[in-house]
Amino acid sequence: MNHTRSHKLFERARQLMPGGVNSPARAFGAVGGEPIVVARGQGAYLWDVDGNRYIDYVGSWGPLILGHAHPAVVAAVEDAAQRGMSFGAPTEAENALAELIIDAVPSIEKVRLVSSGTEATMSAIRLARGFTGRDVIVKFAGNYHGHVDSLLVAAGSSAATLAVPNSPGVTAGTSRDTLVLQYNDVAGLQQAFASHGAQIAGVIFEPIVGNMGVVSPTREFLTALRGLTQQHGALLICDEVMTGFRVAYGGAQQLLGIGPDLTTLGKIVGGGLPVGAYGGHADVMDHVLPAGKVFQAGTLSGNPLAMAAGCATLRALRDQPPYERLEALSARLEAGLRAAAAAARIVHQFARVGSMMTLFFAAEPVTDWPSASRSDTARFARWFWGMLERGVYLPCSQYEALFVSAAHTEADIDATIAAAREAMAQI
Ligand SMILES: *Cc1c(COP(=O)(O)O)cnc(C)c1O
């Protein structure tokens, strides 16, 4: 496969942008080498600037559940653009997206629309602190909630120790109010509430983790999360930026029966344009300015083009739900990848919920960050490149989820499995 033009463009990009990119994950750092430079996407496929075609399982890291350039989404955005790009004033389209979200997500009675997942989680934790009058936020190692300062922290040396910053520029003062625990660790959660319960404003978590690879919560963990937060007057913040409209139309909370106080959304809710959202019980949401006193604002919030893309995407998902078909395609892919790995005698774990999945090159079950981090990332890198060379674009890290879209066909899945059999034999 020839990557000459990609190479030239990326060389130039490196002189123009830090690391050549506008977001680090896409730089292929975790697998070594250079990213391909994308020219266009259609349905389940991507083409790079050298004219190579790939079956795409990244889907812009989650938003493109309908595939690239879905006709209804493109038409909605074109139509909106004709009528003006942005007003900074109320529009009917904002009502439409808010209504779709409130109808879809069981625990959301009122919603505020923002422009990214990061903005949604940042605002949700500010609201949790403003609502409760408390400072501490609990998060879990290996869960990612965007690049919010106070959430860019790593676990201290023992459970229930206060967090340490994991990026230069995040102050110790900021991270002091974040408590990092292990995912699925019920005892750790109980201990944290026993010692800090009166200071905890909220617990933020991924209801199905996508950001250390796919990891599911245990029933006991979900029960403890809801029980302990309720008992101690803290808010439960379900970060559904990845899982919302992905694992079910109503998100992981519908699938798993979780009743959070606040929910954050992003990715699919914008249909490929920049949209995030946070919502929950009306009495909590009414603490947000101008109904209440918790400040949060955005010049481009509720942007008409973004609303159009989001509405068109959610209506397509609501009116012709692809979830059963996604499950069937994804199960077929899982079976094929498992068989390919087994045939090559490669130890692995496979985690999948609907159309999000991860093949871990790990010997033991993956339930939290310590077990995820024992994966063989060097082997993952060989797997990634083996698949790319065979025209399959996978997420470029062991710790990301692979996504199947409604645009994929059985033939795409079978071609992917055939590529996997060849690639597995060589890694
Ligand atoms: C992607 C993601 C975010 C951050 O969203 P951005 O739009 O990248 O800021 C937050 N939480 C979760 C669970 C995510 O997957």
Side-chain angles (χ1 to χ4, degrees):
M1 211 176 253
N2 178 12
H3 298 298
T4 314
R5 243 181 93 68
S6 271
H7 173 69
K8 275 197 189 130
L9 284 168
F10 194 64
E11 284 287 284
R12 181 68 184 130
R14 266 201 243 270
Q15 297 164 341
L16 303 169
M17 294 165 277
V21 291
N22 286 309
S23 188
R26 64 185 71 158
F28 281 21
V31 292
E34 283 179 2
I36 56 163
V37 176
V38 175
R40 67 192 175 94
Q42 184 66 56
Y45 309 118
L46 275 183
W47 284 264
D48 67 18
V49 290
D50 291 290
N52 303 304
R53 193 194 85 164
Y54 306 87
I55 305 174
D56 179 21
Y57 290 101
V58 178
S60 188
W61 302 94
L64 301 182
I65 192 168
L66 298 176
H68 294 275
H70 186 278
V73 180
V74 172
V77 173
E78 282 176 351
D79 182 56
Q82 298 293 337
R83 286 177 278 117
M85 300 291 174
S86 181
F87 311 114
T91 61
E92 195 171 345
E94 294 168 274
N95 288 17
L97 188 59
E99 250 169 33
L100 282 161
I101 292 170
I102 290 164
D103 288 347
V105 184
S107 68
I108 298 186
E109 294 172 358
K110 266 192 185 174
V111 67
R112 173 58 69 81
L113 299 165
V114 294
S115 299
S116 71
T118 295
E119 239 190 295
T121 58
M122 176 186 77
S123 308
I125 65 171
R126 183 183 301 146
L127 175 57
R129 286 168 164 157
F131 178 78
T132 59
R134 301 172 179 181
D135 292 344
V136 174
I137 296 290
V138 173
K139 81 171 286 280
F140 298 96
N143 285 205
Y144 177 68
H145 306 291
H147 64 101
V148 181
D149 275 8
S150 60
L151 300 176
L152 277 183
V153 293
S157 50
S158 66
T161 55
L162 293 174
V164 293
N166 64 5
S167 165
V170 176
T171 65
T174 305
S175 62
R176 199 156 42 224
D177 289 325
T178 309
L179 206 52
V180 184
L181 308 178
Q182 296 301 342
Y183 200 73
N184 278 327
D185 178 7
V186 172
L189 196 61
Q190 287 165 339
Q191 198 185 321
F193 271 98
S195 29
H196 305 279
Q199 289 95 53
I200 296 174
V203 179
I204 187 166
F205 75 112
E206 288 186 69
I208 296 159
V209 190
N211 288 295
M212 54 179 161
V214 173
V215 175
S216 287
T218 63
R219 179 52 53 191
E220 297 70 40
F221 183 60
L222 291 177
T223 304
L225 279 170
R226 184 63 284 185
L228 287 165
T229 45
Q230 227 146 32
Q231 193 182 323
H232 291 269
L235 298 189
L236 184 61
I237 308 167
C238 193
D239 183 357
E240 297 232 41
V241 171
M242 186 183 290
T243 53
F245 306 101
R246 164 64 61 183
V247 296
Y249 187 62
Q253 59 191 268
Q254 181 187 57
L255 188 72
L256 302 174
I258 308 167
D261 299 300
L262 289 174
T263 298
T264 53
L265 295 165
K267 299 195 169 116
I268 292 174
V269 80
L273 267 72
V275 180
Y278 65 106
H281 302 166
D283 65 324
V284 180
M285 289 305 293
D286 280 338
H287 281 68
V288 178
L289 206 70
K293 292 184 174 156
V294 177
F295 192 90
Q296 188 268 306
T299 301
L300 293 175
S301 292
N303 173 265
L305 272 60
M307 296 300 102
C311 285
T313 299
L314 299 199
R315 284 189 188 119
L317 295 173
R318 181 193 63 189
D319 298 341
Q320 287 171 315
Y323 299 100
E324 272 178 37
R325 197 170 150 270
L326 285 172
E327 172 60 31
L329 287 171
S330 303
R332 188 182 184 97
L333 182 58
E334 173 180 354
L337 294 181
R338 278 181 186 272
R345 295 205 165 79
I346 290 174
V347 291
H348 65 280
Q349 308 290 324
F350 206 100
R352 180 175 74 83
V353 180
S355 58
M356 56 188 274
M357 66 190 85
T358 299
L359 172 68
F360 288 101
F361 293 100
E364 306 291 332
V366 176
T367 58
D368 54 15
W369 175 241
S371 51
S373 66
R374 287 193 284 273
S375 301
D376 183 347
T377 54
R379 178 168 262 169
F380 177 87
R382 295 194 293 277
W383 157 244
F384 170 84
W385 285 110
M387 292 300 275
L388 192 84
E389 281 305 309
R390 290 172 177 83
V392 180
Y393 191 71
L394 301 177
C396 55
S397 163
Q398 171 72 93
Y399 304 116
E400 298 284 356
L402 176 166
F403 298 109
V404 175
S405 80
H408 287 85
T409 62
E410 284 192 0
D412 294 324
I413 301 296
D414 292 347
T416 304
I417 294 167
R421 287 189 171 277
E422 287 182 20
M424 285 285 183
Q426 294 177 7
I427 63 167

